[in-house]
Amino acid sequence: MFLIHCPYCGEREQSEFKAGGEAHIVRPKQPTELSDDQWAEYLFMRKNIKGVQFERWVHTHGCRKWFNMVRDTSNDEIKAIYKMGEKPPTKYK
Amino acid sequence: MTNNLRVKSSKFIDETYKISFKFNNKTYYGYKGDTLASALLANNIHLVGRSFKYHRPRGIMTAGSEEPNAIVQLHKNTSRTEPNVRATEVEIYEGLEASSQNCWPSVNFDLGGINNFLSPVLPAGFYYKTFMWPASFWGKYEYFIRKSAGLGKSPTEPDPDIYEHKYIHCDVLVIGAGISGIIAAKTSAKNGFKTLLIDEKPHLGGSTIYQNSDHFKINNQISSSWLEKEINEIKKIDNLKIKTRTSVAAFHGYNFLLARENLTDHLPLHQRDEKVRHRLLKIRTKKVICATGSLERPLVFNNNDRPGILLSSAIEKYSNLFGVACGQKNVLFTNNDSAYETAISLFQKGINIEAIIDNRENVDSKLVKEIEKNNIKIYKGYTVVNTFGYKRINKISIMQLSKDGQKVVGSKISIDCDCLGMSGGWTPAVHLFTQSGGKLKFRDEDQVFIPDTYPSDQISIGSCNGEFTLDEILSSISKKLKDFLNIKKTEYENLEIQSHFNKTKRNIWLLPSDKIIGKTKPFVDYQNDATAKDIKLALREGFRSIEHVKRYTTTGMGTDQGKLGNMHALGIISETAGSRMGELGTTTFRPPYTPLTFGTIVGRNVGEYFDVSRKTPIHDWHVENKAKFENVGQWKRAWFYPKENEGMHEAVQRESKAARDSAGILDASTLGKIDIQGTDASEFLNRVYTNAWSKLAIGKCRYGLMLNEDGMVYDDGVTTRLDENHYIMTTTTGGAATVLSKLEDYLQTEWPELDVYLTSVTDHYATISVCGPNSKKIISKVIPNLDLSDEKFPHMSFKNTKIDKVTCRVMRISFTGEQSYEINIQANYGKSVWDKCMQAGKEFNITPYGTETMHLLRAEKGFIIVGQDTDATMTPIDLQMDWIVSKKKYDFIGKRSLYRSDTIRDDRKQLIGLVTENPKEVLEEGAQIVLDANKSPVEMLGHVTSSYYSPNLKKSIALGVVKGGKNMMGQKLIIPMENKQINVTVTDPVFLDKENKRLNA
Ligand SMILES: [Zn+2]
C-alpha cells in the first residue's frame, strides 16, 4: 500500500485516496466540432503504460482535492506529485 | 501408547507440566512446550493424514510452518472447528482435540487409498481432463470430488472468538528472531531506532538456540549459549518491541506489512474467554530487515513420502528442542553436510543411527570425520532407490550413483529403518522479499535463488540471503548493518567464530532409481501429490511456462504454497527442457505466507459492525410502526408498513391506493442533497445537466438529468433555485456520494475558473413528503401561515417558511404524480414534524408508505428510477426523454456522445411500457422479452425493468427496455417463463394521468 504525499495535507495512507486514471487528458473546449473518431479518442483511449505514467489522484477521505502523480507502474514508485494546473515535470516525459 | 520416545530432557520442555490431548479420539500426553507434532512423535505416531489425490498415508515431515503433510482439523465444536492446521505449529494445551483430514472412514483405513492403486490412471490434469465435460455434469462430479478430497471441514456456526486490527509504526522492523535477527534488532534498537522484532515461533533464537555442538562456537562459547545471553539483553531494551507467535503474512510496497499475532491459541481453553484470539498488525515501517532464514530441501526419490521420512533438520530440532527421537533405527540421506550436524546431535543423545547415505563421493569435512570416528556407516556416492512400509517406513534400498548422477549402478543394498532423514541443502526463505517486489538472482554454485534488487528500504541478512554457515553470517553482518542503518560501529565487529560446516554439495534434482520414471513415485509437492513424472508429463504435453506447469500439475498450489518442492519442480523442468535454472524464473509467492483465519482478516468488522448503516432522523418511528426495511446503499429505508396479517403485496396495494385516494407520507430524508453556491452556479448547472438552467427563476424547482461523458444517464433529481447564486440539488439516494465526487472533479480539473462551492448537506435535513389529493389540507394545518394556493405556490416551486419557530424549506414537487409537498427541515426536528403531519393527516387517513409503494406510484406515471430502469447503457433518448435534452445549449457533459454512430442507432434498447394480456398477471423484473419464442436461437429483444400490480389502474403494469421499442407501440411481444409464455403489448410508459391533472387536483 502506497504512502502518498498529498500536496495539501502531507503524507497519508493510500486507503485515503482514489486513483482517477490518466492525467492531462483535457476535455475538448468545443466537443460539437469533433468527429466521432476525435471524440472517441478523448472519451475512450487511455495509454495504460507499463513504466512511467502520469495519473490523476484524489484525496477522497481527506481534503478531497485532485492532484497529479507520476508513477512507475512496473514497481509502483511515485516519482513526483504536483497540483492540478501545474506543468508536469519534464524529465519523465 | 506410551510416551516412550522422549529421550532427554530439554530446557524448552517443562516435564513437570503434563498436558493431555486427543488425537483421532484417543487420549495422549505431552508436556508444556510441545507442539502437537512433537507430542505425537514422542508417542511414536508418525501417520497423521492422507494425501490429497492418492490418499497415501502421510506423516510429519518438518518442524515448522512449511509442513505439507501433517495438517489436522482442530476442535469438534461446530463454531470453533478449524481445518488445515499444521500440527508442527500447534502448541499443545489442555483440552486440545485434533483429528486427521482427508481420510474416510479413518486415517488407518481409508477407502480413498484405492486411488493410490489407480494412480496410473490419475496423471497430472486428471481432474481437469475428466471432469470438465459435459459441463452440465459438473454439479454431480463436484459432490464426489469434495467428499473424497476436501481439505477439512469449515465451521458451520458463527465464530465466537474476538479478533482485532492494530496499526504499528516503527523505524525498523526485523522479521525473524534467529541469530541474524537478534543481532540486527539489538544493533538497531541500541542506535536509537524504534524497532520491532517479530518471529512466528513461541521462542526466540531460531535454530541456533538449540544448537549444542562444539563444532559451532562464537567467542569460544557454544553458539546457543552465546545467543542466549544476547536474547536476555535485548529483552531489556526500551525501544525494542518483541512479538513472538507472530507471522508476517504479507509484505506490500512502501514497507507496509501485515502480520498475524497469535494471542490465545496456545492457552488452555478455559483461559481464553473474553480475550482477543488473533490480532492483525498493520505495520508501516521506515526500514525492513528480513532475517527469515531458510528451509531445508527434501530429496526427490522413489516413494519419498512415507510416514517416518522427515527433513533431517526436523529430526535434529525434535531431538534438541523437544527431546524427542523420531525413530529408533534412523537413517540419514543427504547431499551436503547438514545431515551430519543432525547425526552428531542424535549420537550425543544416544539415539541410534543405522547409516548415512550421501550422494557425494568424496567427503572429508570435520563433521563427516567425526561420524566416521564413531563407526557409523556412511555410504558415499549412494542414493536411495526405494522405500518400503505402508503406514510407516520400515526399509530402504540404496544403490550407487553413476559418475554423472543420472543412473544407478551396482547392486542393491537393503537397510532396515523406522525413520529416514533427508537433506537436499537449503532454500533461502525469500517469499516475503519477493512479495515486496524484490527481484531474485540465481546462484549456480549451490543452486539457490537469493535477493538481488530491493524495491524499498530493506535488506535480507543471514540464511534468507544465502549465507548458510555461521562464519558467513557473522563475518558479514556487522558491515551490512552499518551500511543499512548508517551507523559507525556495531558490537559484532571482531567475533571469533568456529564453524566446521563444509559447503560442498552434490545437487541432483531428481534422483535416479533402478526403475523407470513411469514406475516410480518421486513426490515433488507432497500436499497436492504432484510427482516428478507429472511435471515431465506437463512438459511433454507442451507446457513451458513455469506458471502453467504449476497450474496443470497443481505443484505449489496447496496450503503450503509448495514451500518445500518448488525448487525441485523448477530444477526438473529446466533439466527436462534443457534450459538454465536462472532463466526460468520462479513462480510468484503470493500473500499470505501462511494461511490466515477469516476472523483475523475481518477483525471487529463483524455482525452489525460489518458495514456502516445510516438511519434517518425518523428511523425510530418506522421501527415502532413495524416497517420492514430495505438497504439502499448504506441507508436503511422503510420498505413498507404491514398491518396485522398483511404481507408485502397487501401492504403495498393499500399504501398505493391511499396515497392517490387521500394522502400518503414518505420519509425521503435519504435523498442526496448538495448545496451549490457561487456566482457561476447557474452556468455550472448548465454544464452538468442536459437541460437549461440560466432562466430558472428564484423560488422555482426543476428536474434535471445528469449524464456521463459517454452520454449515458448517470443520475437525476430536482434542483431548486434558492437565490440568485444559491441552489440545492437533490440526487438519488444511492448516487449522492458519487455525484458529489464527479461534480468536484469537473470543478477542480476541467473548470477551475468557475466560482462554485459544493457542500454535501444530505444528513443536515430531514425530508418529509406528503402527497395525495388531501395533501394541501394537511400541510395547511401544519404550516397555517403559508399561502398554499396554486397561484402563490404552484407546482415546481419552493417557499422558505417556519414551523413553529424553526425555518424550513417546502418544495411543491412530485415523484408520484399527485399533488405533493416536501418539507425540508433541520434534521433534529424531523421526527417532530413527521408527528405533526401524522396528527394533521389523521382525519384524512394519512398513510405512511415505503420505498416499494413509491416505486409503484412513480411506475404508474412512467417515471424512471436511475439504476433500475437504466443500467449505464441508456441515453435520455433511449428513455424517450428527448424533452429534457436542450437543443440550444452549446455543450453539457455527455452532449457530444448523444450523436455518436452507436448512440443514434434506431435499434438501441429503448424504454417502453408493457401491459399483460391477462391484467392480473404480474411480470417478473428481469424477465426477457422476445418476439418469437419458437425461433432458434430465440432472439432476446430486451427485458422487464420494473413491474407491479397497480391498485389504482386495477391492472398489471410494467416498464421495460426493448430494441427499437419506440416504434413498436401496440406490438404484441412474449415473455417466456419457465413453464409458460406471457403475452404482452407495448404501450406508452405513462399509464396514469397523462395530462398531469392530479398535480393540481
Ligand atoms: Zn489532502
Side-chain angles (χ1 to χ4, degrees):
Chain A
M1 194 159 67
F2 310 166
L3 261 190
I4 297 174
H5 193 102
C6 170
Y8 304 93
C9 309
E11 207 165 64
R12 296 288 190 277
E13 292 278 338
Q14 186 188 341
S15 55
E16 294 185 13
F17 297 84
K18 255 187 194 162
E22 193 176 328
H24 304 300
I25 295 177
V26 182
R27 187 172 189 273
K29 285 273 176 288
Q30 297 169 315
T32 44
E33 315 279 300
L34 302 182
S35 68
D36 268 13
D37 283 350
Q38 286 168 323
W39 180 246
E41 184 66 32
Y42 159 73
L43 199 54
F44 302 122
M45 296 309 176
R46 299 295 182 268
K47 294 199 193 85
N48 197 19
I49 300 163
K50 179 180 181 182
V52 175
Q53 177 163 287
F54 292 71
E55 300 175 335
R56 289 157 19 100
W57 283 74
V58 60
H59 195 183
T60 316
H61 302 289
C63 63
R64 293 189 71 83
K65 284 281 197 183
W66 283 87
F67 56 88
N68 294 309
M69 179 191 289
V70 186
R71 182 174 68 102
D72 188 332
T73 59
S74 67
N75 62 10
D76 284 339
E77 189 193 340
I78 297 171
K79 298 197 173 278
I81 279 175
Y82 52 102
K83 293 178 181 174
M84 279 294 156
E86 290 180 356
K87 287 233 159 16
T90 46
K91 65 172 166 176
Y92 303 111
K93 262 291 178 205
Chain B
M1 291 255 185
T2 50
N3 203 339
N4 60 359
L5 289 178
R6 196 69 69 167
V7 283
K8 199 164 181 183
S9 53
S10 150
K11 60 185 169 189
F12 300 96
I13 295 289
D14 182 357
E15 289 187 35
T16 63
Y17 194 135
K18 214 169 166 188
I19 293 172
S20 73
F21 65 96
K22 278 188 178 166
F23 179 64
N24 287 337
N25 296 321
K26 261 189 173 166
T27 302
Y28 299 93
Y29 295 97
Y31 298 120
K32 191 175 162 72
D34 264 325
T35 62
L36 177 58
S38 70
L40 288 172
L41 290 170
N43 285 284
N44 205 9
I45 293 172
H46 277 257
L47 172 61
V48 173
R50 294 274 176 162
S51 69
F52 189 67
K53 194 161 83 181
Y54 303 136
H55 287 244
R56 283 169 70 100
R58 289 282 164 81
I60 296 155
M61 256 197 84
T62 73
S65 61
E66 70 272 33
E67 177 62 39
N69 286 342
I71 55 176
V72 296
Q73 181 97 24
L74 287 191
H75 305 299
K76 292 262 161 76
N77 173 323
T78 49
S79 61
R80 284 213 165 90
T81 189
E82 190 176 349
N84 305 334
V85 181
R86 291 163 298 284
T88 50
E89 288 196 300
V90 178
E91 294 172 60
I92 61 166
Y93 49 84
E94 200 58 49
L96 168 67
E97 281 183 294
S99 48
S100 298
Q101 293 184 176
N102 252 355
C103 48
W104 186 81
S106 82
V107 70
N108 278 303
F109 176 72
D110 175 26
L111 278 179
I114 195 107
N115 282 1
N116 188 27
F117 303 105
L118 292 177
S119 68
V121 298
L122 284 177
F126 172 77
Y127 287 105
Y128 292 139
K129 289 172 185 164
T130 311
F131 296 120
M132 278 312 287
W133 196 260
S136 60
F137 267 48
W138 176 244
K140 292 180 182 81
Y141 290 140
E142 193 188 12
Y143 174 78
F144 288 106
I145 292 175
R146 279 192 192 281
K147 198 170 158 67
S148 69
L151 278 172
K153 286 187 192 72
S154 320
T156 50
E157 304 271 315
D159 189 340
D161 287 320
I162 307 167
Y163 303 84
E164 66 181 24
H165 291 179
K166 185 180 180 183
Y167 286 91
I168 295 184
H169 295 266
C170 56
D171 296 324
V172 178
L173 169 69
V174 182
I175 312 168
I179 187 164
S180 305
I182 297 285
I183 290 174
K186 189 174 164 199
T187 306
S188 161
K190 283 211 154 175
N191 280 281
F193 295 100
K194 200 177 150 196
T195 307
L196 173 64
L197 173 65
I198 282 183
D199 197 285
E200 61 181 1
K201 304 262 169 11
H203 56 84
L204 301 174
S207 58
T208 309
I209 201 65
Y210 53 83
Q211 171 63 253
N212 216 2
S213 157
D214 51 11
H215 288 279
F216 303 97
K217 286 184 165 180
I218 304 167
N219 287 349
N220 229 5
Q221 303 165 53
I222 287 182
S223 55
S224 55
S225 316
W226 182 88
L227 186 59
E228 210 173 305
K229 279 188 205 133
E230 293 290 305
I231 291 172
N232 288 335
E233 276 183 47
I234 65 166
K235 286 180 178 164
K236 295 174 203 145
I237 306 176
D238 275 348
N239 55 334
L240 173 64
K241 247 194 149 48
I242 302 172
K243 288 193 179 287
T244 52
R245 298 188 177 98
T246 301
S247 154
V248 174
F251 187 168
H252 295 297
Y254 290 74
N255 284 349
F256 180 73
L257 298 95
L258 298 173
R260 186 221 45 209
E261 185 179 12
N262 192 341
L263 296 157
T264 62
D265 281 355
H266 60 290
L267 298 177
L269 291 175
H270 66 272
Q271 286 178 24
R272 298 184 186 184
D273 291 348
E274 306 297 314
K275 289 193 182 119
V276 172
R277 183 185 173 209
H278 294 163
R279 188 182 280 146
L280 184 73
L281 306 177
K282 302 179 174 184
I283 307 164
R284 180 76 77 171
T285 176
K286 295 199 179 86
K287 290 168 176 284
V288 178
I289 298 176
C290 281
T292 46
S294 53
L295 304 172
E296 192 168 30
R297 288 181 192 168
L299 290 164
V300 179
F301 55 96
N302 186 22
N303 289 320
N304 59 345
D305 67 324
R306 297 192 191 283
I309 301 181
L310 289 87
L311 294 178
S312 153
S313 59
I315 294 175
E316 186 184 359
K317 183 171 179 179
Y318 284 118
S319 103
N320 282 357
L321 193 117
F322 299 102
V324 172
C326 293
Q328 285 145 320
K329 285 186 282 179
N330 296 288
V331 174
L332 296 167
F333 178 25
T334 188
N335 65 11
N336 71 98
D337 254 17
S338 298
Y340 293 87
E341 276 186 57
T342 306
I344 290 166
S345 145
L346 295 184
F347 184 77
Q348 280 173 352
K349 292 196 168 53
I351 303 171
N352 172 46
I353 304 163
E354 297 283 320
I356 297 181
I357 323 295
D358 196 327
N359 287 162
R360 301 172 297 178
E361 277 176 45
N362 305 307
V363 279
D364 57 354
S365 69
K366 280 205 168 163
L367 298 181
V368 175
K369 278 182 181 149
E370 176 163 344
I371 290 296
E372 282 177 329
K373 198 174 74 194
N374 288 301
N375 295 321
I376 295 169
K377 173 75 183 160
I378 305 177
Y379 292 92
K380 296 179 184 173
Y382 273 72
T383 186
V384 176
V385 293
N386 204 355
T387 68
F388 304 89
Y390 186 54
K391 289 178 201 165
R392 173 83 181 262
I393 189 167
N394 56 29
K395 195 171 75 172
I396 59 171
S397 49
I398 66 170
M399 285 175 84
Q400 207 168 355
L401 280 166
S402 65
K403 282 270 173 278
D404 63 1
Q406 298 296 304
K407 292 196 297 285
V408 281
V409 293
S411 52
K412 242 187 267 189
I413 303 169
S414 285
I415 302 170
D416 287 344
C417 65
D418 62 357
C419 177
L420 175 68
M422 52 183 172
S423 175
W426 296 83
T427 299
V430 292
H431 310 70
L432 294 173
F433 166 79
T434 56
Q435 277 182 21
S436 78
K439 297 277 178 290
L440 299 167
K441 66 180 171 207
F442 190 68
R443 190 165 71 191
D444 283 308
E445 65 220 61
D446 58 349
Q447 307 271 298
V448 293
F449 283 102
I450 52 174
D452 188 15
T453 52
Y454 297 99
S456 64
D457 197 357
Q458 55 167 300
I459 48 166
S460 292
I461 57 170
S463 61
C464 70
N465 193 38
E467 296 144 18
F468 295 124
T469 65
L470 194 61
D471 49 342
E472 268 179 335
I473 293 172
L474 295 180
S475 60
S476 64
I477 196 164
S478 189
K479 181 173 184 320
K480 278 193 177 150
L481 292 174
K482 283 195 287 188
D483 291 348
F484 182 64
L485 298 172
N486 200 15
I487 52 175
K488 293 222 163 54
K489 222 173 116 27
T490 78
E491 51 189 286
Y492 306 100
E493 314 228 345
N494 297 304
L495 295 175
E496 198 186 303
I497 302 146
Q498 193 178 316
S499 172
H500 289 148
F501 193 91
N502 182 308
K503 283 174 66 181
T504 53
K505 179 175 161 185
R506 188 181 188 188
N507 197 79
I508 302 170
W509 293 117
L510 171 58
L511 289 158
S513 166
D514 55 328
K515 291 183 190 161
I516 57 161
I517 176 93
K519 302 272 181 210
T520 62
K521 284 233 168 54
F523 286 92
V524 174
D525 183 310
Y526 294 87
Q527 198 178 94
N528 277 339
D529 273 346
T531 67
K533 184 174 77 177
D534 294 324
I535 292 172
K536 284 176 179 271
L537 173 71
L539 289 164
R540 263 208 319 279
E541 295 194 353
F543 292 94
R544 283 295 173 271
S545 150
I546 171 70
E547 293 287 354
H548 291 156
V549 173
K550 170 180 162 177
R551 281 159 184 76
Y552 191 60
T553 61
T554 68
T555 303
M557 288 175 68
T559 58
D560 58 341
Q561 285 199 47
K563 290 188 180 79
L564 295 181
N566 274 350
M567 285 301 292
H568 304 80
L570 279 171
I572 292 164
I573 292 168
S574 66
E575 268 171 15
T576 311
S579 53
R580 271 194 64 234
M581 241 335 235
E583 288 161 6
L584 278 176
T586 58
T587 55
T588 318
F589 296 108
R590 292 190 175 81
Y593 177 64
T594 48
L596 292 174
T597 55
F598 280 110
T600 311
I601 294 167
V602 299
R604 300 260 174 166
N605 298 326
V606 290
E608 61 176 312
Y609 301 113
F610 179 70
D611 194 14
V612 179
S613 66
R614 300 172 77 184
K615 291 165 186 165
T616 76
I618 307 159
H619 184 82
D620 291 347
W621 190 93
H622 306 317
V623 174
E624 279 162 30
N625 288 274
K626 312 256 177 340
K628 299 279 179 221
F629 289 88
E630 74 167 331
N631 295 328
V632 184
Q634 291 169 328
W635 285 104
K636 301 279 169 202
R637 292 203 73 177
W639 192 12
F640 56 95
Y641 302 79
K643 282 189 172 171
E644 284 110 51
N645 301 321
E646 282 179 350
M648 174 164 163
H649 176 76
E650 292 78 21
V652 169
Q653 294 290 307
R654 172 180 50 75
E655 291 170 15
S656 302
K657 195 142 187 348
R660 293 220 190 276
D661 289 352
S662 177
I665 181 167
L666 172 81
D667 179 3
S669 306
T670 62
L671 286 180
K673 295 177 266 299
I674 301 170
D675 185 271
I676 304 175
Q677 301 192 41
T679 51
D680 294 316
S682 304
E683 171 61 18
F684 180 63
L685 290 174
N686 262 335
R687 297 187 192 186
V688 301
Y689 278 131
T690 61
N691 45 351
W693 289 78
S694 312
K695 289 185 185 136
L696 184 68
I698 295 169
K700 295 287 180 192
C701 315
R702 183 165 286 172
Y703 173 78
L705 205 55
M706 205 181 284
L707 310 184
N708 261 328
E709 206 68 91
D710 62 6
M712 305 304 157
V713 172
Y714 180 71
D715 202 77
D716 68 347
V718 171
T719 293
T720 304
R721 191 166 198 173
L722 303 171
D723 206 338
E724 177 67 24
N725 298 321
H726 191 186
Y727 292 83
I728 180 96
M729 172 189 279
T730 56
T731 72
T732 58
T733 296
T738 51
V739 168
L740 180 69
S741 295
K742 182 183 154 102
L743 299 183
E744 285 177 331
D745 184 353
Y746 274 91
L747 267 184
Q748 288 179 36
T749 65
E750 297 293 351
W751 310 318
E753 71 280 5
L754 293 187
D755 175 42
V756 176
Y757 302 88
L758 306 174
T759 311
S760 165
V761 293
T762 303
D763 300 85
H764 303 49
Y765 293 96
T767 305
I768 298 161
S769 172
V770 179
C771 80
N774 287 316
S775 60
K776 190 180 279 178
K777 292 176 196 150
I778 294 167
I779 296 298
S780 69
K781 285 172 73 182
V782 176
I783 319 173
N785 298 331
L786 188 61
D787 185 346
L788 291 173
S789 66
D790 290 344
E791 302 73 49
K792 282 276 158 52
F793 195 178
H795 181 59
M796 293 311 262
S797 63
F798 125 92
K799 293 280 180 239
N800 251 327
T801 181
K802 280 186 177 169
I803 297 176
D804 294 337
K805 283 171 186 158
V806 184
T807 48
C808 63
R809 295 170 183 157
V810 182
M811 278 85 168
R812 186 166 167 192
I813 52 179
S814 176
F815 190 42
T816 57
E818 292 302 311
Q819 182 173 144
S820 147
Y821 298 87
E822 200 179 282
I823 304 170
N824 286 273
I825 193 158
Q826 201 178 307
N828 49 337
Y829 294 105
K831 170 73 172 18
S832 66
V833 173
W834 178 275
D835 288 338
K836 264 182 191 298
C837 293
M838 288 302 294
Q839 191 59 38
K842 211 167 186 175
E843 59 177 302
F844 306 105
N845 183 32
I846 190 169
T847 301
Y849 66 92
T851 50
E852 191 63 23
T853 291
M854 173 182 86
H855 287 177
L856 190 160
L857 295 173
R858 64 87 208 179
E860 291 176 337
K861 284 291 296 171
F863 295 150
I864 59 156
I865 289 186
V866 174
Q868 176 162 344
D869 303 297
T870 72
D871 61 0
T873 66
M874 301 295 287
T875 70
I877 318 301
D878 299 336
L879 293 170
Q880 305 220 44
M881 292 171 79
D882 312 47
W883 53 271
I884 203 171
V885 180
S886 165
K887 303 275 181 306
K888 289 188 198 137
K889 280 202 297 183
Y890 182 68
D891 191 15
F892 55 82
I893 296 171
K895 174 171 171 118
R896 176 59 186 85
S897 291
L898 294 181
Y899 53 94
R900 290 175 50 234
S901 57
D902 184 56
T903 46
I904 55 173
R905 281 187 295 115
D906 287 334
D907 62 346
R908 289 179 62 83
K909 284 185 183 169
Q910 290 149 353
L911 187 82
I912 41 91
L914 292 169
V915 289
T916 46
E917 197 176 73
N918 170 2
K920 293 232 160 62
E921 180 104 65
V922 181
L923 300 174
E924 267 183 41
E925 287 174 359
Q928 293 294 321
I929 303 169
V930 307
L931 180 61
D932 180 356
N934 297 320
K935 200 169 110 185
S936 183
V938 180
E939 191 194 356
M940 309 218 223
L941 294 179
H943 63 275
V944 178
T945 59
S946 297
S947 173
Y948 308 89
Y949 183 80
S950 161
N952 299 302
L953 297 159
K954 298 197 172 52
K955 66 174 180 184
S956 155
I957 56 165
L959 298 174
V961 292
V962 170
K963 281 182 190 169
K966 261 186 217 184
N967 299 318
M968 291 172 86
M969 288 308 121
Q971 172 80 50
K972 299 240 186 287
L973 294 172
I974 292 163
I975 315 275
M977 300 303 292
E978 200 175 356
N979 315 314
K980 59 182 172 185
Q981 294 187 357
I982 304 169
N983 295 322
V984 294
T985 306
V986 177
T987 67
D988 188 282
V990 184
F991 298 98
L992 181 133
D993 186 27
K994 282 193 180 40
E995 305 78 28
N996 292 328
K997 282 186 189 146
R998 305 179 69 97
L999 287 172
N1000 293 311

